[in-house]
Amino acid sequence: MTDAAVAARVLNKSEKRLLDIIRQKSFLRGQFKLASGAISDYYLDMKPTSFDPEGAALIGKIICGMLARDRDVDCIGGLELGAVPIVAAVCAQSWPANPVKGFVVRKENKGHGTDQKIDGNFKPGSRVVLIEDVTTKGGSVMQAVRAVRAQGADIKRIITIVDRLEGARENLKQEGLELSAIFTTEDLMM
């Protein structure tokens, strides 16, 4: 789906409510430095939405619906910290109809215990969908991509809650990856 098609589509009741929650809890105005290094006049802190009971339930429901086309996926996961509550919400929502397992990719090995870069229900060679809270240029999710590809994973696609429309889709496409967004910043600005 193109960015214009995403912006032009009609939102269902769950998507409308999630968008309202994001606007209320996670959409901040001001001057912010992004993970990409860019400066923006708004910031999306998705943690207040993804840790909210209703927000988490809606995220889980919507992403489970999006995963319906990915029946051959072994598990979902993403880079800490933003993906953690989203992955947990989707795993919980998927039970018992179409259970999906989850994992998290650490930014650095933890240095103790099993000292793994990937924790949870990930096995080398898995078919995965990666999850992200906000996507700008795609640099953060690429850390997760490199980690799971190093373990022989087949990445079916990347799902983000919000695509900032600042080049991520194109950058990820160059890596052979599809980005699917629940919302874009155009949705938030309406």
Side-chain angles (χ1 to χ4, degrees), residues 48-104:
T49 295
S50 61
F51 281 110
D52 177 80
E54 184 182 11
L58 289 167
I59 289 168
K61 177 181 179 180
I62 293 165
I63 293 178
C64 280
M66 294 173 79
L67 290 172
R69 81 169 218 214
D70 301 302
R71 293 271 183 220
D72 63 338
V73 167
D74 298 311
C75 52
I76 62 166
L79 189 65
E80 67 175 352
L81 179 65
V84 172
I86 300 166
V87 169
V90 173
C91 290
Q93 182 72 36
S94 75
W95 179 261
N98 296 304
V100 62
K101 298 173 185 164
F103 66 91
V104 64

